[in-house]
Amino acid sequence: MTATHRYSVPRDYNKDRIEPANDGVYFAVPTKKTDIGIWSFQSLQSEPLILTGHRQPITSICFGFNTNPKLLCSAAGDYVIVWNIHTAREKYTRGDRVTGQIVGTTLGQVQFCCFNVDDSLVAACVGEKVFILTSNFQSVIAELEGHNGPVTRAEFCPHYTSTLVTISDDRTFKVWDTRILSLVYESAIITSSSLISLAMNWSSPHVTIGSTDGILRTYDLTDGNNFRSLYQVDVSKAVSKQRERIANLKSKTDEKGTMTVTKRGTWKKSNSKDVDFETTTEQGQAVLCVCFSYHSTHVETTEMAPQFGKSTANDLLASRPPVLVVVTTGAILQLNAKNLEILDFTDMHDPLQGIDLDGGLKCINTAEIATIAQSPSVPDLWALLGTMFDNELNVVQLELADSGLCKRNTDFNSSLTHVISGLVDLEAGGDEDGESGLCVVAVKPLCEKSPLKSELIQSKPETSKTKTVKTPSYDKRKKSDPMNQALTFKTKVKSSGYTQAPRTTMFKPQINKPMKSTSPLKKSSSEAKLFNLEYPLDSAPPTELQDRISVAERPIPVNRLSFSDDGHSVACALANKTASIFKFPIGQNVSRVYVGHNGNVNSLAWNHSSSMIITSSDDKTASIWTKGSSEPLLKFETFSDNMSVNKEQVKTDKNNASFPREVRHGQFFYMDKFVLLTCGSSLHLYKYYLDSARDEIKRYLTKSRYKLVQSWVTQSQTITSMAAINAFHSHFVICAGSNRDIEVFDLNQGVLATTIHDTHTRPVHSVCLNKGSSFASQPSSAYNIFASAAAADCIKLWDLRSQRCVQRLEGHMNQAHACGLAFSPCGKYLATGSEDRLAYIFDLRAGTYCSRLRGSTDVVTDVTFHPARPTLVCGSLDGRVMSFVPE
């Protein structure tokens, strides 16, 4: 961040340390106890405009939102006065007396005041009450009571103009409706610290509240969302991490000191005489000020935020995510309002370059009061920082950080049809494969030595070592050997009649009568209609419980759920060493139960043709099953291959030992050409050949074969989750590890493509790609979005091209269990399980959940969407499977 010190207000002003007013064009500060001085940021060295009208000390001042006329409200114990800045400057220039409109008298000591969006109302906080005043004449519309402590802040919502949010020293916030004069919502005590800052998000109906413990809390003001908490940010921890990172970078470039090399890393320890003890002093990180700022691509002709009175602001806000600017006692941070990523950081301990100091440096150290606003002409921020230990007010200009610009001129409203693509375009932009060259959809041909070119061609195995004797064929035209002739010398032998049909019809039972549903040529009417379906892109999320069944007689945890690509069946991986397949709708009986593992079945996946499934288990094996077979068609037991499984003398091969640990994940890859398995910290790619023929005597022997193509070792101890696409050609596999990193492998090149470090506060337990569906169409850029989740953390949406988090989703409960994720085929919703016995559906356009599905009696462990219908199937820890449909 480029921070420049521009001006210092004389020390004689603002002796009572009243919070100044700031709108990005002007700022106002009490010059004397009863007078107000107004400066312009464009001419800081000019004489201020002095406003005189109060008889008692001024306690609060604020600017209006409109540009013409520009209003200023000043409050004291005697009056609440509204000033017209343009009219006052004209009178002040002519030498006339400057007067304002008195809108309130003898209300008491006003701690804070603010205008509504159209500057028609003024809210004045007096003690535990809030007075609603008109701005053009003296009238008290309402007196709001309900807080148990002094009201410290109040702000009107720009989206619902009659909604007022107030915070108080009682550590609660309240939402009022000034149109019907009623209390809409009253929160519980949300923190043990005082609430001191409040800001409205002009791009969405959200309010952010800051406290003295350095925590930012954001709440949703949308109708029907019950003012839920969206996310929390620990600003004090973020400041500590940023300072630690900067210190580590400085220590690496320091020539002095001892180099320390350990298994955790390498760093250089500086000498004790070079340590600056002044910078090691700890201080609190109270959130003094919060502000939402916005980018504009046409700063010369268009104002950039709604507070400047332009109706086209929503279009401009859609071009980039808003920037959340946070001012603490020791630092200034700029965060991406969608993903809460730190865009820039300014430490107040570091000296600032000053223009008014002839190129000198200015140190602010510790701030006590702060206000910040955005300039409407240039994308810069103007901050007013008052120091704690001396009465000095500093004017600092900050450069607004880049939160990600859409390089292509696309319509944001049209991108809402495919919201995932919209998120990607807004954050990354650029070409189809992005600046990093990563794209889930295969856009490049296979390399010459690509592992994906490998094939396994099965040759006919030798069943015995005995040489086969060729039987000679006899022909009457050839003269045969007299020593080697048939027993019968005649050309024709009369049949004994055993093969002829009997003369009388005996009782003949019907054996192996084919079922109508199993005929590949004739399908039921429901199945025939399913193939003609197209997923409704404008459908509502599923909310109504349709069916609920138990997968076993006893409560068995459901580890994984997966719909087949044709939508006819749903498979369940269970903790009782089995896997089950249900026909859709799930109210029917179990179609098939697969028994063969000796451990917990961890994962399950269908092939693209929906005829086979692959399961992985804690018994260090993985198996491929067909839908109509009770025995595995192929079993992965050894690391390298199973080529010697049918030989009589099996030689011990150290390179082909059994898997050392449990096989956590398994799936088909590259349109069923390969199989992916994860074991420990390794990712394995196998080519395979399937043969359903078996020896009737030695049925344990199989003719199916597999062989290892290549393995990749991650930097973590264990791969906790894996995601890849099999529905179309894709070269990338995403692996999440126990070290909280996400690694992306390019199997076309056979290398590690990229690594995203420190994705969550804890190891990622679920990674989900937007795989779409064969019944719904999405743009190719939509498949570059994937989601990740971790215990005691939120859900994050990532863009593979930029390797950045594009959105955070919070609201569900996930503290211990690995709750699964699933994208809807339309790309508008993301479903997840939760530990509060609910399933949550998040609307990716709104950034919060839109539905909470009830019906489970235990933790919802996994979810999956139907590929052709807006139906969600959930599995729980007590062995219940539920399906939900729209109302």
Side-chain angles (χ1 to χ4, degrees):
M1 178 189 299
T2 303
T4 307
H5 185 274
R6 294 290 184 176
Y7 184 69
S8 293
V9 178
R11 295 175 181 268
D12 295 337
Y13 295 166
N14 197 19
K15 292 184 178 180
D16 293 337
R17 301 190 178 186
I18 303 301
E19 181 178 319
N22 180 7
D23 70 342
V25 179
Y26 305 102
F27 72 93
V29 179
T31 56
K32 298 180 181 179
K33 289 188 176 182
T34 58
D35 297 342
I36 304 173
I38 300 177
W39 284 263
S40 173
F41 287 112
Q42 303 301 324
S43 57
L44 292 172
Q45 304 298 332
S46 302
E47 290 294 327
L49 171 65
I50 303 299
L51 303 179
T52 302
H54 289 279
R55 298 179 182 178
Q56 296 184 12
I58 297 174
T59 56
S60 178
I61 50 179
C62 70
F63 280 107
F65 295 101
N66 293 330
T67 56
N68 190 16
K70 173 58 69 176
L71 302 182
L72 173 71
C73 179
S74 60
D78 51 357
Y79 306 123
V80 177
I81 304 177
V82 175
W83 309 81
N84 189 327
I85 303 300
H86 297 161
T87 304
R89 183 170 291 279
E90 293 177 359
K91 291 183 179 181
Y92 185 79
T93 304
R94 294 195 306 262
D96 298 340
R97 181 183 177 184
V98 180
T99 59
Q101 176 65 46
I102 298 177
V103 298
T105 58
T106 63
L107 299 178
Q109 185 176 0
V110 179
Q111 296 98 343
F112 187 81
C113 61
C114 67
F115 284 94
N116 66 341
V117 178
D118 57 359
D119 294 348
S120 61
L121 300 177
V122 176
C125 304
V126 181
E128 301 175 358
K129 303 178 182 179
V130 179
F131 292 91
I132 306 299
L133 314 173
T134 57
S135 62
N136 52 0
F137 59 92
Q138 183 176 350
S139 174
V140 179
I141 298 178
E143 181 179 340
L144 307 180
E145 297 182 356
H147 283 286
N148 296 325
V151 180
T152 56
R153 290 272 178 173
E155 289 288 346
F156 284 91
C157 179
H159 302 274
Y160 310 103
T161 55
S162 62
T163 299
L164 177 68
V165 180
T166 58
I167 58 176
S168 170
D169 283 344
D170 59 5
R171 297 161 294 169
T172 65
F173 75 93
K174 290 178 171 57
V175 181
W176 312 80
D177 192 335
T178 58
R179 182 176 57 86
I180 61 177
L181 302 179
S182 65
L183 177 63
V184 178
Y185 177 77
E186 179 180 4
S187 73
I189 297 177
I190 59 179
T191 179
S192 60
S193 304
S194 301
L195 307 178
I196 58 175
S197 58
L198 179 67
M200 289 288 178
N201 189 347
W202 289 76
S203 64
S204 56
H206 300 162
V207 59
T208 299
I209 301 174
S211 57
T212 56
D213 57 355
I215 303 294
L216 279 179
R217 298 171 175 86
T218 300
Y219 297 90
D220 190 3
L221 301 180
T222 306
D223 289 339
N225 287 349
N226 298 324
F227 307 96
R228 66 180 67 138
S229 175
L230 295 179
Y231 53 81
Q232 294 186 9
V233 183
D234 192 342
V235 179
S236 59
K237 184 180 295 185
V239 171
S240 301
K241 288 185 177 180
Q242 287 295 320
R243 287 177 174 172
E244 183 180 357
R245 183 181 63 85
I246 295 174
N248 292 335
L249 292 176
K250 290 182 178 179
S251 63
K252 290 181 180 180
T253 58
D254 189 8
E255 296 180 355
K256 299 180 181 180
T258 305
M259 184 68 70
T260 303
V261 180
T262 65
K263 63 180 180 179
R264 296 183 178 179
T266 303
W267 68 88
K268 186 179 292 185
K269 184 177 180 180
S270 60
N271 298 329
S272 58
K273 61 181 180 180
D274 296 330
V275 177
D276 188 4
F277 292 96
E278 295 180 358
T279 60
T280 59
T281 305
E282 290 292 334
Q283 61 180 3
Q285 296 296 336
V287 180
L288 301 178
C289 178
V290 185
C291 172
F292 285 91
S293 300
Y294 309 91
H295 289 274
S296 175
T297 55
H298 305 285
V299 295
E300 296 180 358
T301 60
T302 306
E303 296 179 355
M304 67 185 69
Q307 63 262 41
F308 301 122
K310 289 292 181 179
S311 61
T312 59
N314 291 331
D315 297 333
L316 296 175
L317 293 177
S319 60
R320 295 188 185 183
V323 178
L324 180 61
V325 185
V326 184
V327 182
T328 67
T329 54
I332 303 176
L333 296 90
Q334 295 190 35
L335 309 176
N336 188 317
K338 277 191 174 181
N339 55 27
L340 302 181
E341 175 187 354
I342 297 179
L343 302 176
D344 222 328
F345 175 78
T346 296
D347 196 345
M348 294 187 188
H349 288 162
D350 299 333
L352 303 178
Q353 188 73 23
I355 292 181
D356 62 322
L357 302 175
D358 297 330
L361 300 179
K362 180 68 176 181
C363 291
I364 298 178
N365 292 328
T366 305
E368 182 182 14
I369 57 175
T371 61
I372 193 166
Q374 185 176 5
S375 174
S377 59
V378 292
D380 287 342
L381 303 171
W382 290 97
L384 302 176
L385 305 176
T387 57
M388 182 176 294
F389 301 105
D390 53 359
N391 186 22
E392 185 177 15
L393 188 63
N394 301 282
V395 180
V396 178
Q397 185 179 9
L398 305 172
E399 182 179 352
L400 185 62
D402 187 5
S403 61
L405 177 64
C406 179
K407 296 183 179 179
R408 289 175 290 184
N409 187 16
T410 57
D411 186 8
F412 179 74
N413 295 326
S414 63
S415 67
L416 290 181
T417 306
H418 302 287
V419 64
I420 297 296
S421 177
L423 288 174
V424 175
D425 291 340
L426 294 179
E427 289 295 328
D431 300 331
E432 187 68 26
D433 55 349
E435 297 178 357
S436 63
L438 302 182
C439 183
V440 172
V441 180
V443 295
K444 298 179 181 179
L446 295 179
C447 300
E448 182 179 357
K449 298 182 180 180
S450 174
L452 300 180
K453 284 188 174 182
S454 301
E455 293 184 1
L456 183 61
I457 302 176
Q458 179 65 12
S459 60
K460 294 182 179 181
E462 296 182 0
T463 57
S464 176
K465 292 185 177 181
T466 307
K467 293 183 179 181
T468 304
V469 179
K470 186 175 181 181
T471 305
S473 59
Y474 299 97
D475 194 348
K476 63 181 181 179
R477 291 175 298 178
K478 279 188 178 182
K479 186 177 181 180
S480 59
D481 187 2
M483 300 302 296
N484 186 12
Q485 294 183 1
L487 298 178
T488 302
F489 298 96
K490 297 181 180 180
T491 57
K492 293 183 179 181
V493 179
K494 186 178 180 180
S495 174
S496 59
Y498 288 107
T499 59
Q500 296 179 0
R503 296 179 181 179
T504 58
T505 304
M506 306 292 292
F507 171 73
K508 184 178 181 181
Q510 295 182 356
I511 303 175
N512 298 329
K513 183 179 179 180
M515 297 178 64
K516 294 182 180 181
S517 60
T518 58
S519 176
L521 300 178
K522 296 182 180 181
K523 295 183 180 294
S524 63
S525 59
S526 61
E527 293 179 354
K529 292 180 180 179
L530 186 60
F531 282 106
N532 298 325
L533 285 178
E534 184 177 354
Y535 193 93
L537 299 178
D538 56 348
S539 65
T543 55
E544 183 178 356
L545 179 63
Q546 185 184 34
D547 293 317
R548 179 169 56 187
I549 61 173
S550 298
V551 296
E553 296 180 357
R554 298 181 180 180
I556 299 297
V558 177
N559 295 333
R560 196 64 58 205
L561 290 172
S562 179
F563 257 113
S564 59
D565 287 358
D566 57 10
H568 293 161
S569 305
V570 57
C572 309
L574 306 176
N576 62 348
K577 308 177 184 180
T578 65
S580 301
I581 290 183
F582 296 87
K583 290 184 179 180
F584 184 80
I586 62 172
Q588 304 178 14
N589 295 329
V590 177
S591 166
R592 178 69 63 179
V593 177
Y594 298 96
V595 180
H597 286 289
N598 294 323
N600 181 23
V601 180
N602 297 319
S603 69
L604 178 146
W606 289 87
N607 68 334
H608 183 56
S609 60
S610 304
S611 60
M612 295 181 292
I613 61 172
I614 181 172
T615 57
S616 61
S617 173
D618 284 343
D619 61 358
K620 304 178 183 180
T621 64
S623 300
I624 295 179
W625 313 75
T626 57
K627 291 181 64 174
S629 175
S630 60
E631 297 180 356
L633 192 60
L634 176 62
K635 197 167 186 177
F636 296 82
E637 295 180 310
T638 54
F639 170 75
S640 180
D641 56 62
N642 68 338
M643 296 299 181
S644 61
V645 68
N646 287 347
K647 293 185 178 180
E648 297 179 359
Q649 297 179 356
V650 179
K651 298 182 180 179
T652 304
D653 189 1
K654 295 182 179 179
N655 297 327
N656 195 21
S658 301
F659 288 103
R661 297 173 62 181
E662 69 276 2
V663 181
R664 282 182 172 266
H665 308 91
Q667 74 165 77
F668 295 95
F669 182 66
Y670 209 68
M671 300 287 290
D672 299 339
K673 186 178 180 180
F674 300 95
V675 167
L676 290 172
L677 298 178
T678 64
C679 178
S681 61
S682 301
L683 170 67
H684 308 293
L685 177 68
Y686 291 94
K687 53 186 178 181
Y688 64 98
Y689 169 83
L690 298 178
D691 190 349
S692 59
R694 288 181 179 271
D695 191 345
E696 294 298 332
I697 298 177
K698 299 181 179 180
R699 295 189 58 85
Y700 60 90
L701 298 180
T702 177
K703 296 181 180 180
S704 301
R705 297 289 181 266
Y706 70 88
K707 188 174 182 180
L708 178 67
V709 177
Q710 191 172 342
S711 294
W712 295 268
V713 179
T714 62
Q715 299 177 0
S716 61
Q717 293 183 354
T718 303
I719 296 178
T720 56
S721 183
M722 179 191 69
I725 291 182
N726 184 50
F728 53 83
H729 286 159
S730 176
H731 301 158
F732 292 97
V733 178
I734 300 175
C735 296
S738 56
N739 58 348
R740 299 183 290 118
D741 293 346
I742 292 179
E743 301 181 31
V744 182
F745 292 91
D746 185 359
L747 301 196
N748 183 21
Q749 302 286 343
V751 296
L752 174 65
T754 185
T755 301
I756 307 176
H757 298 283
D758 296 331
T759 56
H760 288 267
T761 57
R762 291 188 181 181
V764 177
H765 60 63
S766 296
V767 173
C768 179
L769 273 163
N770 178 33
K771 301 179 181 180
S773 169
S774 57
F775 300 92
S777 60
Q778 295 187 26
S780 58
S781 59
Y783 301 105
N784 293 319
I785 281 288
F786 67 94
S788 64
D793 203 351
C794 63
I795 299 173
K796 292 185 178 182
L797 297 182
W798 302 86
D799 179 14
L800 182 62
R801 295 180 294 180
S802 62
Q803 295 105 51
R804 292 176 57 186
C805 175
V806 296
Q807 198 171 36
R808 291 167 58 102
L809 302 174
E810 295 187 12
H812 66 295
M813 181 182 297
N814 187 9
Q815 301 294 329
H817 296 84
C819 300
L821 304 171
F823 282 98
S824 63
C826 62
K828 295 191 300 183
Y829 305 108
L830 176 71
T832 180
S834 180
E835 296 175 0
D836 54 1
R837 303 178 182 180
L838 302 174
Y840 287 74
I841 298 181
F842 290 88
D843 188 346
L844 301 182
R845 298 164 296 179
T848 182
Y849 62 86
C850 57
S851 300
R852 295 192 301 174
L853 309 183
R854 304 179 184 273
S856 176
T857 55
D858 208 332
V859 177
V860 180
T861 54
D862 198 22
V863 292
T864 182
F865 277 97
H866 193 280
R869 298 173 179 175
T871 303
L872 180 70
V873 174
C874 308
S876 63
L877 202 62
D878 59 354
R880 294 181 181 270
V881 176
M882 301 146 289
S883 64
F884 296 86
V885 295
E887 294 182 355

